[in-house]
Amino acid sequence: MNALDAVEKRALGGSGPTTEAAGPWRSNRSWLTPVLFLVPGTFLFLLIIVVPIGQSLWISLHDWDGFEQPVWLGLDNYRELLGDPQFTTALRNNVIWLVLFMVAPPAGLAIALMLNQAIRGMRIAKSLFFIPLVLAPVTVGVVFTWFYDPTFGVLALVFQAFGATGPALLSDERLVTFAVVIAALWPQIAFCMVLFLAGLNNLSEDVLSAGRVDGARGWRLFWHVVLPQLRQVGFIAVVITVIGALRSFDMIAVMTQGGPFGSSSVLAYLMYEQAIFSYRFGYGAAIASVLFLIMAVFIAWYLRRMLRLEREAA
Amino acid sequence: MFPRPLPDDASAQRFLYMSLVAVVLALWLLPLLAIMATSFRTMDDLMRGNYWGWPERIAWLDNYRDVFTQTPMARFFLNSLVITLPSVAFVLTLSTLMGFVLSRYRFPGATLLFAVFVAGNFVPHQILMIPVRDMMLRAGVYDTFFALILFHTAFQTGFATLFMRNFIAALPQELFEAARAEGASPFQVLAHVVVPLIRPALAALAILTFTFIWNDYFWAIVLTQSDAVKPVTAGLANLRGQYVSAWNLVAAATIVVAVPPVVMFFLMQKHFVAGLTMGAVKG
Amino acid sequence: MPGITRYTTMSRRGLLHTAGGLGLAAGALRGAPALAQSRAITVIADQSNAETRAIFAEIAAAYEADTGVSVTVNNMDHEAHKTAIRSYLAASPPDVCFWFSGNRMRAFVERGLFDDISDLFERENYYDVLGTSTETVSVGDRQFGLPLGGTLWGLFYRKDVFAEQGMTPPADWDGLLATCEQARGAGLTPMTLGTKELWPAAGWFDHLNLRINGLDRHMALMRGEMSYLDPSLQPVFDHWQDLIEREIFTPNHTSYSWQQAASFFVRKQSAMFVLGNFMTRAFPAEEKDQLAFVPFPRIGPETRRYEEFSVNSVHIPARAQNKDVAREFLAYFYRPENLGRFLRPDGNVPPRHDIPVPDDPMMRSLVEALRNADGTAQFYDRDTDPDMAQVGLRSFQEFMVAPDRRDTILERMEAARKRVFRA
C-alpha cells in the first residue's frame, strides 16, 4: 500500500489542471441527454455483472455441487474457511502479490519515458515492448517455467556457469510465489507502459515550457511538472495493477497449479479449484466473496480518497 | 514532450540512444525469442529437454502448418474477429458516454454509480461463471457469438468507464465553459469537444480491450460449445494434450494468435501522435 | 437462484434439421428406421491427439456418406471439456459425448444425465465381445456407455540402458530395491518422477495399496468406506517412505510435469518410470523399440495381481435430441475396424476381443499384463470422489516431499473423507 500512497502523493503534488465537476445539470435543464447516455451502459453492467455477483453471494450460503438442489448452510462455508489452512496460505500469497506487483507502475513509466522520443524506428520499438501483454498467459507461464527448470532452465544454466546449483524455484514452498509473480510482472509492466505512453502524449506543452522557462530540468521537471499531469493515468495504472494482483489466476494455473501442495495458491485460484475440480460451488463462492470483500474495502477507501482530493483540487 | 526530444541534427546521439533502446528491447523480449525458437523446434528436441540449445533440426514451417491443419484455426480466427470487433466498438461507445456524464455532471448517486463500476472491475471472473451461463441459457443465446459479445461488452465497460471518466475529468475546464457559453447541447459538447480530445485515450482503450477480449479463454469455454462459435484461444487450447503437450505447436499457435493485437497496436499508434498535436493546438 | 434452464432451440439446430432432410432419401433406401427424428447429430469430443481427431473425423464422414446423416463434431480441449460437460449435459446436450467410465460415469448416471444403452448392447451383442470391460460402463446391471481404449499402468524401462548396466526389470520389492541400487551405482537416477500435475504421485499410492491391501480394500477406501487413519494403510506409507528416504526419485520432482521428467528418461539419465502407456508418446519415434514394460513389482507374499487400468468411454446424454440416430452412429463407430483404427494412435488397449492387437512388443506386453491381472482399478482420481481426489492428490505430492509430515497429511485426508462422504 505504501507504494500506492507514494504514487498518489506524487500525482497530486504539483499544479495539475483542475478537474471541476460541477456541470450544467441544474442551470441547463438538459438532463435528459445525460440520462440517456447513462442508461445502456448501466443497464448492461447491472444485468450481467452486478446481479450475478449477488447470485454468487447467495450461492455462498449453500452447499451446492452444481447439479442438485442447493442445501442451505447459512454461514457454515465461511466458518469452514476460518479453519482452513489452505485459505490462510492463499490469503498470505495474495498479499505478497499485491506488494510485489506495485513494481509494475514505476517500471512501466520508466519504459514509457525511454520510448517517448521521436526517432526513426521508435514506433516499432513501442509495438515490440507491448508484445508481452498480447501473448496468451498460458504461453508466458510456460516460457517462465522453462526459465526456472532446475536442470535445463536458463536460470540453472547461469548458476552452472558459476559452478553452483540453481534453486528449484517452483519446488520451494517459500520461493515459489515470488517466482510466479516475477513472470506475471512481465505483461503487467507492459500494460502500465501503454497507459503511461498515452499519458505522456497528452502532456500539456504549455505547462512543460513554463516549467522549462523556470529553469526546471531533468528530475525536478519530471517530479514537479510531469508527474502531476500523469496523476489520472497513474491512478488507473495503480488500480489496474491492484486488480491484476488480486485477480491473479492464469499464471498460477499454468506454472504451479497452486503447488507444490497448495503453497502458491491464491484466493482466485483456490476458488476455481474448489468449484471446478472439487465441485464445491458454495465453498468456492464463499472464497470469492471474501476476495471480493477485500477488494471492496480497498476500492471504497480509495474512491473516497480520490473523490475528496478531486474536490479539494477544484 | 517529455523527456526533451533529442535534437534532429544530433545523429550520433540519436543513434546511441536507439542502440540503448535496442539492447533493453532484446532483454525485454527474451521470453518471446524463446517462444519463437520453440516454434521452430521439433517435438523430439523438446522430449530431450533441449529448450535453449541449438535445435537438432529446424522445422521452419512445419509447426505453423500443423496449427492450421490440426485445428480449424482459420475459422476460429474469423470467429474471434466477429466476437472482438463489435465488442470493442460497443465498449468504446458506452464508456465514452458514461465517462462523459460521470466526469462532467453532478447528480445524486453519481458517486455510487461510479463506485459500482469500479467495484465490478475487481470481481474475479470465476465468481460470475454459473450465474452468467444460466442467464445466457435463459436468454437463448448460449453458444452464440452474441453471448460472448454481450458479456465482454458489459465486463470491459466497467474498466473502460473508469478509464474514460478519469481521462475526461482531466480535460481543461475552460473548453467546457466556452462550449456552454455558446449554448452547446450535451450532445454537441460530447461530439465537438470531448471526442476529438480523447482520441489518444480511445486508441489506448481500443488496444487494451481488443487484447483482453481477443485473449479470453475462460468465457469462451463457459459460453460456447460448438466449433462454429469458438474463438481462437479455444483452438490454441486444443493443441494442448491430455497427457502429452506439443509445446512447439503451442508456441507457433501463440505467435499466430498474437499477430492481430500487435498489428492493432501498430495501427493505433498514429492516434497517439494525433493526440500529441491536438495537445499542442488546444492552448 | 440460478437453476438449470430449459434449452432454447437455436437457429443452428434448425439448419441441421434441413441438412438432415436432404439425406432422407438415401437413408430410406437403406431401410433405416422411420425418420421420426431428424437425421443429424452433434458429437462433443475431447481428443487431444491430432491423429485421433483426424481419424474420428474420417469415421464420421464415412458414416455421413453411408447414411446421409449429418454429423457435427465439436472437439474441446481435454481439460476444458471436464468443466464444460457439467454445463452441457444439463443445459444443451449433444447427441454423443466422450467421457470416462467407472466412478466418473456413475456420478452422471446417478443424476440421470446419461442414457441407458443396454438395448444397444443387446442388439449388437456387445456382451459377448467385451467381456469384463462391460463392468466399467455398468451401473447395476445396466450399461450407460461404450468402453474405449484402456490405459495400463506399470513400470517402464529402457532396454538398452538395462542391457548396458546388466540390470533386470524388478519382479518384487527386493528386486526393486536392488535395481535402484544398481542404477544409482551406474550414475543414474533410479526412478523418474514429475509431480507437478499431482497425479503421478497418486500412481505410486495406488500401486502400493493395491499390492499390499488388495483391490477390495483399495476400492473401499476409494468409496470413502474406510478411514485414512486405518492401520492397514501404515505399511503402504512405510514402503513408500522407505523409497523416498533412499532418494530413488528425481530430485525437485514438483518442478516437473511428467513430460519434462520424461526427458531425463529419454536422455538415459534415469532408469525407470512408473506411468501409464501414454508414456510411449513422449518417446522419440526412432527409439520406441527400446522402451519396455513390466507390471509394478509384487510386494510380500501376495500373489494376486491388481493393476491400474483406466478406461475412457463414449456416451449418449439422457437429454439428447436424437437418441436413435446416436445409437446407430455409435454402432457404426464401434465396429471392430473403426474402433481399432481410432485407438491405434494412442497405443491404448482395445476393449473388444475381436479387434486384432497391433503387432508390436509394447502392445503385446500390455495385453499380457492385463490378461494376468486378477482385477483392475481405474486410478485414484477416477475411482474416488472428485472433491476427495483433489485433497488426496495434493497430499500424496506433499508426502513425497516431506514424508515426516505423514500424520498431519493423513489426518487432513481423513477430515476431507468425513466431509465428502458424510462419514
Side-chain angles (χ1 to χ4, degrees):
Chain A
M1 300 276 173
N2 285 333
L4 191 64
D5 268 336
V7 170
E8 185 180 88
K9 276 192 200 117
R10 251 180 288 152
L12 295 166
S15 54
T18 58
T19 53
E20 198 260 309
W25 184 262
R26 232 163 251 159
S27 52
N28 280 359
R29 276 194 214 157
S30 51
W31 52 272
L32 188 63
T33 328
V35 169
L36 285 179
F37 284 178
L38 284 179
V39 166
T42 309
F43 175 74
L44 203 61
F45 198 76
L46 288 179
L47 181 74
I48 295 180
I49 309 298
V50 179
V51 170
I53 293 173
Q55 288 174 323
S56 272
L57 289 173
W58 181 245
I59 294 174
S60 76
L61 304 175
H62 294 80
D63 177 17
W64 190 41
D65 67 352
F67 276 125
E68 286 164 300
Q69 275 303 309
V71 179
W72 174 261
L73 281 184
L75 293 174
D76 281 5
N77 281 329
Y78 292 92
R79 263 179 228 119
E80 191 184 333
L81 273 183
L82 292 178
D84 185 347
Q86 184 60 67
F87 174 73
T88 322
T89 309
L91 196 59
R92 191 201 62 208
N93 286 337
N94 264 128
V95 174
I96 297 178
W97 271 82
L98 199 55
V99 173
L100 292 185
F101 243 45
M102 284 307 147
V103 172
L109 177 56
I111 296 178
L113 286 172
M114 180 182 77
L115 296 180
N116 199 32
Q117 286 283 354
I119 307 180
R120 177 187 280 280
M122 200 55 102
R123 268 177 70 177
I124 294 174
K126 284 180 193 168
S127 297
L128 292 174
F129 267 96
F130 168 74
I131 284 181
L133 188 58
V134 306
L135 292 177
V138 176
T139 331
V140 177
V142 169
V143 171
F144 274 86
T145 309
W146 289 343
F147 269 126
Y148 295 147
D149 186 300
T151 318
F152 308 121
V154 163
L155 193 70
L157 296 179
V158 169
F159 272 80
Q160 278 162 31
F162 292 100
T165 309
L169 291 179
L170 299 183
S171 284
D172 190 313
E173 288 171 73
R174 287 157 301 143
L175 297 178
V176 61
T177 297
F178 295 93
V180 179
V181 172
I182 288 171
L185 271 173
W186 193 45
Q188 188 67 32
I189 291 173
F191 194 164
C192 292
M193 179 208 77
V194 174
L195 295 175
F196 282 117
L197 271 180
L200 285 175
N201 277 310
N202 218 41
L203 290 181
S204 155
E205 282 300 324
D206 298 347
V207 181
L208 269 185
S209 328
R212 283 188 172 122
V213 168
D214 288 347
R217 298 175 62 211
W219 183 250
R220 276 172 52 85
L221 184 71
F222 173 70
W223 193 262
H224 295 291
V225 180
V226 176
L227 264 188
Q229 294 192 62
L230 294 175
R231 58 182 272 211
Q232 295 294 356
V233 167
F235 168 74
I236 290 172
V238 169
V239 168
I240 287 300
T241 305
V242 171
I243 294 173
L246 291 180
R247 264 204 327 226
S248 52
F249 172 81
D250 295 325
M251 288 295 165
I252 294 162
V254 175
M255 295 182 70
T256 66
Q257 301 176 337
F261 35 88
S263 57
S264 67
S265 197
V266 293
L267 292 179
Y269 188 76
L270 186 62
M271 187 220 114
Y272 174 78
E273 196 178 66
Q274 288 294 324
I276 302 298
F277 297 137
S278 303
Y279 302 124
R280 300 183 74 196
F281 286 99
Y283 194 60
I287 297 169
S289 305
V290 172
L291 179 57
F292 187 60
L293 199 72
I294 297 169
M295 291 173 163
V297 169
F298 176 84
I299 211 65
W301 168 79
Y302 204 82
L303 266 176
R304 228 184 55 155
R305 223 175 133 86
M306 186 194 79
L307 292 172
R308 201 182 59 220
L309 289 165
E310 268 186 11
R311 229 167 284 144
E312 279 166 11
Chain B
M1 206 165 156
F2 183 86
R4 186 187 289 277
L6 292 171
D8 284 338
D9 50 358
S11 54
Q13 221 181 335
R14 291 169 77 98
F15 178 76
L16 265 177
Y17 191 87
M18 217 43 216
S19 314
L20 176 84
V21 170
V23 170
V24 177
L25 186 62
L27 286 173
W28 179 248
L29 290 185
L30 215 53
L32 179 75
L33 297 178
I35 298 167
M36 293 181 97
T38 306
S39 75
F40 299 128
R41 279 182 196 284
T42 62
M43 195 60 201
D44 283 2
D45 242 7
L46 293 175
M47 282 179 205
R48 293 197 174 86
N50 183 11
Y51 304 146
W52 313 107
W54 190 253
E56 187 188 30
R57 181 175 72 81
I58 302 176
W60 286 114
L61 288 175
D62 302 16
N63 295 323
Y64 288 89
R65 188 199 55 221
D66 287 354
V67 164
F68 283 93
T69 51
Q70 290 194 3
T71 56
M73 199 51 121
R75 182 207 270 167
F76 291 152
F77 225 89
L78 196 67
N79 291 346
S80 270
L81 285 175
V82 172
I83 293 162
T84 309
L85 292 177
S87 301
V88 171
F90 290 143
V91 169
L92 293 184
T93 312
L94 292 179
S95 63
T96 305
L97 294 176
M98 305 273 309
F100 171 58
V101 177
L102 286 174
S103 63
R104 289 289 149 190
Y105 292 83
R106 206 171 263 176
F107 58 94
T111 312
L112 178 72
L113 189 61
F114 183 55
V116 166
F117 269 78
V118 175
N121 262 303
F122 279 61
V123 186
H125 283 230
Q126 292 77 19
I127 193 180
L128 300 172
M129 181 181 101
I130 310 250
V132 168
R133 188 204 69 201
D134 280 13
M135 183 184 296
M136 296 301 176
L137 278 164
R138 267 198 301 273
V141 293
Y142 173 80
D143 201 25
T144 64
F145 291 128
F146 195 62
L148 284 171
I149 293 174
L150 206 59
F151 179 81
H152 288 312
T153 302
F155 194 81
Q156 297 298 340
T157 297
F159 161 67
T161 299
L162 165 68
F163 190 98
M164 275 301 174
R165 181 204 169 275
N166 285 310
F167 204 93
I168 298 173
L171 295 176
Q173 179 64 18
E174 308 84 65
L175 290 174
F176 291 89
E177 273 158 14
R180 188 163 42 169
E182 286 166 23
S185 72
F187 184 80
Q188 284 167 325
V189 173
L190 181 68
H192 300 299
V193 180
V194 176
V195 170
L197 288 176
I198 59 170
R199 273 172 65 189
L202 282 174
L205 257 187
I207 294 165
L208 291 174
T209 43
F210 184 93
T211 305
F212 294 149
I213 298 172
W214 185 267
N215 275 342
D216 164 71
Y217 172 58
F218 184 76
W219 291 101
I221 60 171
V222 170
L223 296 179
T224 67
Q225 67 185 44
S226 50
D227 286 357
V229 186
K230 257 186 230 153
V232 79
T233 40
L236 189 70
N238 251 339
L239 296 169
R240 302 181 65 197
Q242 174 184 8
Y243 296 116
V244 182
S245 290
W247 289 119
N248 48 346
L249 285 191
V250 175
T254 303
I255 304 279
V256 171
V257 169
V259 167
V262 174
V263 168
M264 176 91 178
F265 186 84
F266 193 74
L267 292 179
M268 282 293 168
Q269 276 201 50
K270 66 170 188 274
H271 293 282
F272 284 128
V273 180
L276 187 78
T277 42
M278 195 72 62
V281 169
K282 80 187 171 202
Chain C
M1 191 76 229
I4 286 150
T5 1
R6 228 166 359 97
Y7 180 69
T8 317
T9 313
M10 297 173 312
S11 57
R12 189 171 53 84
R13 291 234 173 224
L15 282 173
L16 292 181
H17 277 266
T18 330
L22 294 173
L24 199 146
L29 282 174
R30 284 164 199 278
L35 291 157
Q37 292 168 323
S38 81
R39 305 287 292 165
I41 55 165
T42 314
V43 180
I44 292 188
D46 63 344
Q47 300 308 312
S48 38
N49 186 343
E51 218 181 317
T52 314
R53 270 203 301 268
I55 292 171
F56 188 71
E58 281 169 30
I59 294 173
Y63 179 71
E64 273 187 341
D66 231 26
T67 59
V69 171
S70 101
V71 182
T72 309
V73 181
N74 293 311
N75 196 74
M76 276 185 200
D77 133 58
H78 191 84
E79 291 306 314
H81 179 247
K82 287 186 196 166
T83 312
I85 191 169
R86 300 179 71 89
S87 307
Y88 73 63
L89 279 187
S92 67
D95 301 296
V96 171
C97 69
F98 286 75
W99 192 234
F100 312 102
S101 67
N103 188 57
R104 285 198 190 167
M105 178 197 81
R106 178 188 294 266
F108 290 141
V109 171
E110 280 164 0
R111 294 178 168 101
L113 295 169
F114 277 154
D115 208 31
D116 180 348
I117 56 165
S118 307
D119 57 316
L120 187 66
F121 270 71
E122 201 79 54
R123 194 166 75 214
E124 304 282 335
N125 288 323
Y126 290 150
Y127 297 113
D128 300 336
V129 292
L130 282 177
T132 49
S133 39
T134 306
E135 285 163 32
T136 64
V137 289
S138 302
V139 174
D141 56 356
R142 315 296 296 170
Q143 284 68 49
F144 294 88
L146 290 172
L148 298 173
T151 299
L152 186 66
W153 292 62
L155 194 142
F156 290 85
Y157 63 96
R158 282 189 73 119
K159 285 186 222 164
D160 47 0
V161 170
F162 268 55
E164 271 166 43
Q165 308 299 339
M167 302 193 292
T168 45
D172 55 17
W173 188 253
D174 292 337
L176 177 67
L177 297 182
T179 311
C180 286
E181 279 314 309
Q182 231 178 326
R184 195 198 310 283
L188 301 170
T189 305
M191 195 64 75
T192 324
L193 183 68
T195 60
K196 189 172 160 185
E197 294 120 332
L198 301 177
W199 48 262
W204 278 89
F205 173 79
D206 283 359
H207 279 115
L208 292 167
N209 198 35
L210 284 170
R211 293 288 181 273
I212 293 169
N213 288 316
L215 184 61
D216 291 345
R217 292 187 67 87
H218 180 70
M219 290 315 287
L221 185 71
M222 295 300 101
R223 286 190 301 266
E225 292 159 8
M226 195 178 125
S227 166
Y228 278 91
L229 301 177
D230 193 286
S232 69
L233 286 180
Q234 288 301 323
V236 173
F237 286 91
D238 288 341
H239 277 83
W240 202 354
Q241 184 158 359
D242 186 22
L243 294 178
I244 296 164
E245 282 169 356
R246 284 167 191 260
E247 299 186 346
I248 68 160
F249 296 106
T250 306
N252 297 318
H253 53 80
T254 57
S255 276
Y256 305 111
S257 64
W258 79 260
Q259 226 182 316
Q260 282 170 294
S263 65
F264 298 115
F265 185 58
V266 172
R267 284 153 64 113
K268 305 184 186 179
Q269 289 169 342
S270 57
M272 294 171 277
F273 206 169
V274 170
L275 216 68
N277 59 254
F278 49 81
M279 147 98 233
T280 51
R281 274 175 53 202
F283 224 66
E286 67 275 14
E287 295 178 29
K288 273 207 172 110
D289 53 342
Q290 292 301 335
L291 189 65
F293 170 93
V294 286
F296 193 84
R298 282 192 311 274
I299 298 175
E302 178 62 64
T303 51
R304 305 227 292 167
R305 205 187 264 289
Y306 303 108
E307 302 297 351
E308 293 257 68
F309 184 61
S310 8
V311 180
N312 292 350
S313 47
V314 59
H315 306 266
I316 299 178
R319 300 177 202 190
Q321 313 237 319
N322 284 317
K323 292 186 193 172
D324 290 341
V325 187
R327 277 171 170 71
E328 288 166 36
F329 174 72
L330 280 188
Y332 180 83
F333 169 57
Y334 215 62
R335 286 181 191 171
E337 65 274 19
N338 287 336
L339 187 62
R341 262 184 83 203
F342 176 78
L343 295 178
R344 190 148 315 163
D346 271 325
N348 283 336
V349 183
R352 293 184 70 133
H353 297 323
D354 51 358
I355 294 180
V357 173
D359 190 32
D360 67 73
M362 175 57 71
M363 187 53 92
R364 275 201 301 273
S365 43
L366 290 174
V367 169
E368 190 200 316
L370 199 57
R371 202 167 284 148
N372 292 335
D374 295 296
T376 59
Q378 293 239 21
F379 198 77
Y380 189 85
D381 64 353
R382 296 190 186 207
D383 286 326
T384 196
D385 179 275
D387 188 1
M388 182 68 229
Q390 197 58 28
V391 179
L393 294 185
R394 181 178 283 168
S395 301
F396 295 140
Q397 187 199 37
E398 184 167 359
F399 179 75
M400 293 202 80
V401 173
D404 51 307
R405 297 183 200 160
R406 184 199 295 195
D407 294 340
T408 327
I409 291 171
L410 284 174
E411 273 157 29
R412 196 192 311 140
M413 290 179 78
E414 175 59 11
R417 182 189 73 94
K418 282 190 174 142
R419 177 173 56 72
V420 172
F421 296 99
R422 302 201 165 80

